[in-house]
Amino acid sequence: MCRFFYLQYLGFTIFAAMKIGIFFGGQSREREVSFAGGRTVFDNLDKNLFEVVPIFVDSLGNFILLDWQHIYKGTIRDFYPPSKFDYKSKHPFQIYVESLDFNESSVEEVIGSVGMKIQPEDFKSLFEFAFLALHGPQGEDGAIQGLLEWYQIPYSGSGLLPSSIGINKIVQKRFFQDSQELHPKHSIIDKVNWDKADRKELFKKISQEIGTDIVVKAPHQGSSIGVSILKNAEFSQFEIAVEKALFRERFFLDKYKSLSEEEKVRTINAIADIRTGIGFPLKIDDKIIIHPEELFEYLNSSPESELLLESLISEDSILVESFIDGEEFSCIVIEDENSKPIALPPTQILKPSDIYDYRAKYLPGISRKITPIDLPVKQIRAIRKACEKLYTNLNCDVYARLDGFISEKGIYLNDPNTTSGMLPSSFFFHQAAEIGLNPSQFLTYIIRTSLRSRLKTGKLPIHYYKLLQNLDEKIAKFNREVQKKEKVAVIMGGFSSERHISVESGRNIYEKLSSSKEHLPSPLFLTGNLENHQLYEIPINIMLKDNADDIRDKILNFKLHPILDEIKSECKAITDKYTGNLISQPIKIDYDELASKFDSVFIALHGRPGEDGTVQKDLAKRNVPYNGSQPESSEITINKFQTNEILKDNGFHVAEHQFVLKSDWQKDQEDFILSIEKDFEYPFIAKPADDGCSSAVTKIRDRSMLNAYSRLIFRDSDTLDQKECEVLGISVKEEFPAKEGFVIETLITMGDADHFLEITGGLLTHHDQNGNTIIEMFEPSEALATGDVLSLEEKFLAGEGQNITPARFDRNPELNKSISDKVKEVLKQVAITLDIQGYARIDAFVKIYKPDKVKVFIIEINSLPGMTPATCIFHQSAINKYTPLAFISEILKYGKDRSKKLSS
């Protein structure tokens, strides 16, 4: 470090990348969001400017220099603690490290299996700047900020004072009373008093003071944990809400004991989920239970009819406030070069219910974000002004997220967040895109502005100044070199039932490439229909809209909101510093224009068109390099029935299968059902033949389900029938395609095997020196479904699925490797048989017979697998030492090499 400054003083310009330590994970109930957000930052930091150092904070408070491969697991529990240290789980439970028995293994041993334990005094030798992606207590409350200040390390975001206020909703109430005209009435309930008081009298008093439309909150958690909204509240509802905010649960044994073992496991997994359940460790009376398996045994043997389960990570008090009837919004406030706060365009939140809970906030498609909020410009200006004022009054630095409501009475601001969620779909990136900053550029802005903010504190001013000066020189240098990069069109969207996942994949590809040294991506959106589809090059803010339907509507009905011109003008100095030439509205583009403008294409589409070879044919005609298999192979693998037939003819194990037609169903529904029942026993699997990997895949248990499934998939309208949905246990808002036929498959079960699991195996292809294609197989992942089949969310959304990579074929390491090699060889032969190129994901069931006899039943092949941040293929490629960016680059390289080979 001394040599670094000495050379600077001598006048040398040094372009060494600044080392950024990303702090993520943590001890709070929002640790999974923090983990996914840390991965987003890790991937999106500009590789020209920064070198990334992942610092995982575990739930015991240990700082771990994490082996980077683990960042690409779906959840923390997928890798930490490693399953080999979990000696208690006899059922499919996944645990956090606090559930381990450390009499059997040491903390250091567990940490050493995923990285290296470090101490705060080690920080300076590892990184120059700390990017904080932590949430909740010990992350947003000033604790980590104070630690970093002690060790004189600059960090992102606000300092100690605004952080400590921002985490404490009770302190905020006192602050708002002094600084805001409008604030909801509120009451505070101490836990000790709640347990001793006459609860009905307490509820009566609160109802008289603040009404019966109320919000009950856990005051020290994130903005969506332990929150309940009650309308016309009754005492019983109120009591449940308070207990929820105290992270306690009344448990009824009679109902539990009537469940099947599988349902009991699901119930306990729901309790273990710290986002929506009370989590572990917990106590029942005076007994402390640290592991789900212990709870499973305790509940099975308990003679009681009712128990009180209480988390050891609880609250001392509860906040109750009056419900505000108005439009809910969230607004990111940033600073310009002169530290003047600028509110970005506020986002309106349209929720499926009154409460904006964890799932509604973080899972795409459950709620909708409308930016700017759908209000007159005058009211939007008022919201922005109020947010800027509160930002100043709280003494915030760099950025903050301010939540609130606007009603007939005016504007209520009620939840300042000094660390915003950093998932790709978060407000943080959503609103920055409206002024033209992509995620990589916005993160650079945050780091630079944070350095400037730390400089104002007067602590180590020369050190901070030099870091800032060096960063400014690098930003200017690499902005000048942007035209030297390879131009990549990323095609996303479409009109299949998996179009929303396609957008998630496309955004992820775009964001990874945006941070690279070699690539310059542009987002393209595909819309239309099978007979006639169109392509549009779209600006960043449209790409980051909620889902494919929102993006399509913005393209087809484009209109620039007047407030955006105002905000862009205020932010011009910021955007000029971090961006190049940007398009500001959608531009229709045909394949000839695409070929002349871009060097290569990444197809991030799912279903038709995309996985069926349609787009590939148009690109191949113009010799434009693209990812994935060629049209002929894609036409086969999109069709599950045809794929099964080919694989069966070539000696592979597949389920017994049959393709049934709408025309037969229309002729005679009763005969249609009877003909299926003649060949297949319940339960069996029904699925579309030519759609994505999870869309409308259903386990059919009886005739009523088969009738309901047939009526839905053969319907002539766009809407789903409520009654049929109830029979199938799905929402009327679920994506369920209408088709002319569907596939019936026998249900593959364990049978007489000794071990049985569902796996998904990824692959990557390369060209050897002679131009021949060689296949690199990845270690398969073991997929654990919470329901009958793996859902879209479990496959593709961070924090949802339970995926273990590599798969657990056997506890014996040698046998495990032997079985894995056999499985990979089968998957490789499938890829060769179907001429799969580029990359792919193959799903299968594996039956294992002692000692290592293996039967692999192929479920399906995805020639353009999902590429969302949490998808298994990134976990698998990481084991083979590919970062997601390196993996994507290899996919593009294969396409370019193939294109050269074909053209010559």
Side-chain angles (χ1 to χ4, degrees):
M1 193 64 70
C2 292
R3 181 174 179 271
F4 172 83
F5 291 121
Y6 178 67
L7 290 172
Q8 286 253 338
Y9 283 129
L10 289 177
F12 289 96
T13 300
I14 301 174
F15 290 116
M18 184 189 295
K19 291 185 177 180
I20 308 293
I22 302 174
F23 284 71
F24 61 117
Q27 297 168 268
S28 83
R29 291 176 177 274
E30 290 192 282
R31 68 187 73 153
E32 293 291 2
V33 170
S34 170
F35 176 70
R39 175 172 55 221
T40 303
V41 178
F42 186 89
D43 282 340
N44 283 280
L45 284 178
D46 193 325
K47 307 304 182 290
N48 295 291
L49 307 174
F50 307 113
E51 181 182 335
V52 190
V53 181
I55 308 297
F56 174 66
V57 184
D58 75 6
S59 42
L60 301 176
N62 296 299
F63 296 105
I64 303 171
L65 180 60
L66 193 68
D67 295 340
W68 67 264
Q69 293 94 328
H70 298 298
I71 292 170
Y72 300 106
K73 302 295 187 181
T75 70
I76 293 170
R77 292 184 294 174
D78 287 342
F79 75 95
Y80 188 77
S83 58
K84 67 180 180 180
F85 293 103
D86 182 11
Y87 301 104
K88 292 184 178 179
S89 285
K90 300 171 186 174
H91 295 89
F93 295 127
Q94 281 190 300
I95 62 169
Y96 290 107
V97 71
E98 57 264 37
S99 289
L100 284 185
D101 184 348
F102 285 109
N103 292 325
E104 298 177 329
S105 55
S106 68
V107 177
E108 286 72 20
E109 187 183 5
V110 174
I111 291 173
S113 64
V114 299
M116 181 175 70
K117 185 176 179 180
I118 58 174
Q119 301 296 337
E121 54 264 31
D122 301 321
F123 290 171
K124 269 193 175 180
S125 66
L126 295 169
F127 52 84
E128 300 159 278
F129 181 93
F131 198 106
L132 302 181
L134 296 166
H135 293 294
Q138 309 300 324
E140 291 183 75
D141 59 359
I144 188 69
Q145 290 85 352
L147 180 67
L148 291 165
E149 291 210 359
W150 181 265
Y151 285 95
Q152 300 176 329
I153 295 171
Y155 56 87
S156 62
S158 289
L160 276 70
L161 177 61
S163 297
S164 59
I165 295 173
I167 196 64
N168 192 319
K169 296 179 178 66
I170 292 175
V171 171
Q172 289 170 24
K173 290 300 166 191
R174 297 169 189 150
F175 180 87
F176 289 152
Q177 283 177 317
D178 296 333
S179 64
Q180 245 182 234
E181 289 182 15
L182 291 177
H183 48 83
K185 296 176 182 178
H186 73 278
S187 181
I188 298 165
I189 303 174
D190 292 328
K191 180 179 178 180
V192 174
N193 292 340
W194 170 252
D195 287 338
K196 293 180 178 179
D198 181 332
R199 294 181 176 182
K200 288 186 177 180
E201 281 299 313
L202 183 58
F203 171 65
K204 183 178 178 182
K205 181 183 177 185
I206 288 174
S207 299
Q208 290 171 346
E209 291 176 355
I210 65 176
T212 55
D213 289 352
I214 56 176
V215 184
V216 181
K217 297 180 177 180
H220 299 96
Q221 303 299 320
S223 54
S224 22
I225 300 287
V227 179
S228 299
I229 293 180
L230 307 178
K231 296 285 192 71
N232 297 315
E234 297 178 356
F235 169 72
S236 59
Q237 298 170 309
F238 177 73
E239 186 176 36
I240 292 170
V242 172
E243 291 294 295
K244 175 184 174 182
L246 291 170
F247 302 103
R248 302 197 294 206
E249 180 178 339
R250 189 72 56 184
F251 199 83
F252 300 97
L253 270 295
D254 291 344
K255 181 179 178 182
Y256 172 79
K257 288 182 178 179
S258 68
L259 301 175
S260 67
E261 184 164 302
E262 183 180 357
E263 290 168 331
K264 288 178 180 178
V265 168
R266 290 181 190 173
T267 299
I268 292 175
N269 272 327
I271 292 170
D273 189 335
I274 55 173
R275 303 165 301 175
T276 52
I278 64 174
F280 288 85
L282 56 81
K283 67 177 181 178
I284 302 173
D285 295 326
D286 293 326
K287 181 175 177 60
I288 295 175
I289 297 175
I290 68 169
H291 195 286
E293 198 68 55
E294 292 177 13
L295 181 61
F296 183 88
E297 294 171 1
Y298 185 92
L299 296 177
N300 280 344
S301 60
S302 174
E304 304 294 331
S305 61
E306 185 179 320
L307 295 171
L308 179 65
L309 280 57
E310 181 173 5
S311 173
L312 293 185
I313 306 170
S314 186
E315 293 275 355
D316 293 327
S317 53
I318 297 302
L319 177 66
V320 183
E321 60 184 24
S322 57
F323 175 78
I324 302 165
D325 191 7
E327 297 294 342
E328 187 171 2
F329 64 83
S330 189
C331 185
I332 301 289
V333 180
I334 61 174
E335 296 180 2
D336 68 8
E337 295 288 306
N338 301 311
S339 301
K340 178 181 178 292
I342 302 174
L344 297 179
T347 297
Q348 181 178 4
I349 304 160
L350 299 180
K351 312 180 293 288
S353 60
D354 287 323
I355 188 165
Y356 193 43
D357 62 9
Y358 186 97
R359 288 181 61 81
K361 180 177 286 189
Y362 294 116
L363 294 185
I366 292 181
S367 59
R368 289 189 63 215
K369 303 182 185 79
I370 298 176
T371 309
I373 187 171
D374 188 16
L375 290 172
V377 169
K378 183 179 179 180
Q379 286 183 291
I380 298 177
R381 288 179 183 141
I383 290 172
R384 294 185 64 230
K385 185 177 180 180
C387 290
E388 290 166 355
K389 180 182 177 182
L390 180 57
Y391 180 94
T392 301
N393 290 345
L394 284 171
N395 200 33
C396 292
D397 299 307
V398 188
Y399 78 96
R401 194 190 85 228
L402 305 176
D403 300 337
F405 294 84
I406 182 165
S407 71
E408 293 178 356
K409 294 181 180 179
I411 297 167
Y412 296 79
L413 297 177
N414 68 340
D415 195 4
N417 291 266
T418 51
T419 301
S420 176
M422 294 183 187
L423 272 68
S425 59
S426 70
F427 299 112
F428 186 73
F429 297 121
H430 193 82
Q431 294 178 18
E434 296 292 347
I435 62 169
L437 295 180
N438 69 31
S440 181
Q441 293 160 344
F442 192 40
L443 292 172
T444 300
Y445 159 82
I446 292 296
I447 292 171
R448 187 195 179 279
T449 308
S450 296
L451 274 172
R452 193 197 64 216
S453 184
R454 302 289 87 84
L455 189 62
K456 291 186 296 183
T457 65
K459 302 169 186 176
L460 283 182
I462 294 177
H463 171 55
Y464 293 172
Y465 177 76
K466 290 297 177 182
L467 284 175
L468 185 61
Q469 184 185 51
N470 186 43
L471 181 57
D472 279 344
E473 289 173 353
K474 286 188 288 186
I475 290 171
K477 175 181 184 292
F478 291 115
N479 277 347
R480 290 193 298 270
E481 296 180 352
V482 71
Q483 295 305 318
K484 298 178 183 178
K485 295 185 175 184
E486 176 192 2
K487 297 177 179 62
V488 182
V490 182
I491 303 178
M492 65 189 80
F495 34 81
S496 80
S497 59
E498 292 196 27
R499 60 194 179 280
H500 306 307
I501 295 297
S502 167
V503 167
E504 291 293 310
S505 291
R507 285 198 282 233
N508 186 45
I509 298 298
Y510 169 85
E511 290 166 5
K512 299 290 189 294
L513 294 176
S514 292
S515 70
S516 75
K517 294 179 180 179
E518 297 86 14
H519 305 100
L520 183 64
S522 293
L524 270 65
F525 188 84
L526 185 146
T527 188
N529 53 54
L530 283 173
E531 289 72 38
N532 180 26
H533 68 262
Q534 301 88 42
L535 290 171
Y536 291 86
E537 189 175 359
I538 57 175
I540 306 305
N541 63 320
I542 291 182
M543 182 192 76
L544 288 179
K545 294 302 179 189
D546 258 4
N547 56 45
D549 296 344
D550 285 347
I551 294 172
R552 181 199 61 216
D553 292 344
K554 287 290 181 184
I555 291 170
L556 299 180
N557 305 291
F558 179 77
K559 185 179 180 182
L560 187 63
H561 198 290
I563 199 70
L564 293 181
D565 274 339
E566 292 181 23
I567 299 172
K568 285 182 177 179
S569 177
E570 293 176 50
C571 296
K572 189 174 186 305
I574 296 171
T575 51
D576 284 352
K577 187 178 188 70
Y578 299 99
T579 67
N581 294 323
L582 297 168
I583 65 169
S584 57
Q585 64 185 56
I587 300 171
K588 193 171 183 179
I589 182 171
D590 62 29
Y591 282 99
D592 289 329
E593 292 169 316
L594 184 153
S596 66
K597 189 170 183 178
F598 296 101
D599 301 309
S600 59
V601 169
F602 197 105
I603 307 168
L605 299 166
H606 302 311
R608 294 182 186 271
E611 286 190 85
D612 63 354
T614 300
V615 174
Q616 292 88 331
K617 287 177 182 176
D618 280 313
L619 296 173
K621 286 177 188 175
R622 295 157 179 85
N623 199 33
V624 178
Y626 59 86
N627 57 306
S629 294
Q630 291 181 282
E632 297 78 13
S633 175
S634 299
E635 284 179 326
I636 293 170
T637 55
I638 189 65
N639 188 316
K640 298 180 180 70
F641 180 78
Q642 187 181 0
T643 300
N644 273 352
E645 289 284 283
I646 292 172
L647 292 178
K648 184 178 180 180
D649 290 344
N650 282 272
F652 295 98
H653 294 293
V654 295
E656 292 300 320
H657 52 277
Q658 183 177 318
F659 188 67
V660 295
L661 295 168
K662 180 179 180 178
S663 56
D664 292 333
W665 179 76
Q666 288 174 326
K667 286 177 188 175
D668 190 327
Q669 294 183 19
E670 179 66 19
D671 187 59
F672 176 86
I673 298 296
L674 287 172
S675 66
I676 292 174
E677 291 177 333
K678 178 184 175 183
D679 296 326
F680 294 88
E681 291 184 3
Y682 296 110
F684 54 75
I685 298 296
K687 61 173 75 170
D690 60 348
D691 228 296
C693 55
S694 297
S695 177
V697 178
T698 306
K699 182 178 178 180
I700 305 296
R701 295 189 183 87
D702 52 39
R703 177 178 284 204
S704 65
M705 289 188 73
L706 179 55
N707 273 313
Y709 188 92
S710 302
R711 281 192 283 266
L712 284 184
I713 205 163
F714 292 150
R715 72 190 187 278
D716 294 319
S717 66
D718 292 332
T719 58
L720 302 184
D721 182 88
Q722 175 74 43
K723 184 179 177 182
E724 313 300 355
C725 289
E726 289 174 0
V727 172
L728 296 181
I730 62 174
S731 166
V732 291
K733 295 182 179 180
E734 190 158 322
E735 291 291 340
F736 200 101
K739 297 289 182 180
E740 295 300 311
F742 65 89
V743 176
I744 301 285
E745 292 182 349
T746 54
L747 180 67
I748 306 295
T749 61
M750 183 171 180
D752 60 347
D754 296 298
H755 187 38
F756 177 75
L757 64 165
E758 183 175 354
I759 60 100
T760 179
L763 62 89
L764 179 65
T765 67
H766 312 272
H767 284 111
D768 63 16
Q769 293 179 341
N770 299 318
N772 300 314
T773 294
I774 56 174
I775 298 175
E776 178 182 5
M777 295 301 306
F778 299 145
E779 285 295 329
S781 298
E782 178 181 351
L784 303 176
T786 56
D788 291 326
V789 295
L790 281 170
S791 67
L792 284 173
E793 290 84 1
E794 287 174 314
K795 284 191 176 182
F796 300 120
L797 296 183
E800 282 303 291
Q802 295 184 53
N803 299 293
I804 299 170
T805 309
R808 302 169 298 181
F809 295 111
D810 197 281
R811 286 186 175 272
N812 181 302
E814 291 182 4
L815 274 177
N816 191 74
K817 183 180 185 306
S818 172
I819 295 169
S820 177
D821 288 345
K822 290 178 179 179
V823 172
K824 287 191 291 183
E825 182 58 31
V826 172
L827 302 186
K828 181 178 180 179
Q829 292 306 315
V830 167
I832 292 170
T833 301
L834 297 171
D835 192 25
I836 291 171
Q837 296 178 14
Y839 67 120
R841 194 189 80 234
I842 304 175
D843 299 338
F845 290 113
V846 179
K847 289 186 176 186
I848 301 167
Y849 303 83
K850 291 179 180 179
D852 64 347
K853 180 184 174 184
V854 178
K855 280 188 178 180
V856 180
F857 288 79
I858 305 301
I859 302 172
E860 64 180 295
I861 291 87
N862 293 273
S863 62
L864 291 179
M867 297 289 272
T868 65
T871 190
C872 284
I873 204 163
F874 287 132
H875 315 171
Q876 298 165 12
S877 60
I879 293 176
N880 285 25
K881 308 301 182 186
Y882 295 104
T883 65
L885 177 57
F887 180 50
I888 294 163
S889 296
E890 282 294 313
I891 292 168
L892 288 170
K893 180 179 181 299
Y894 181 88
K896 286 182 288 184
D897 290 346
R898 178 177 59 195
S899 184
K900 289 177 185 176
K901 180 182 174 184
L902 291 173
S903 64
S904 63

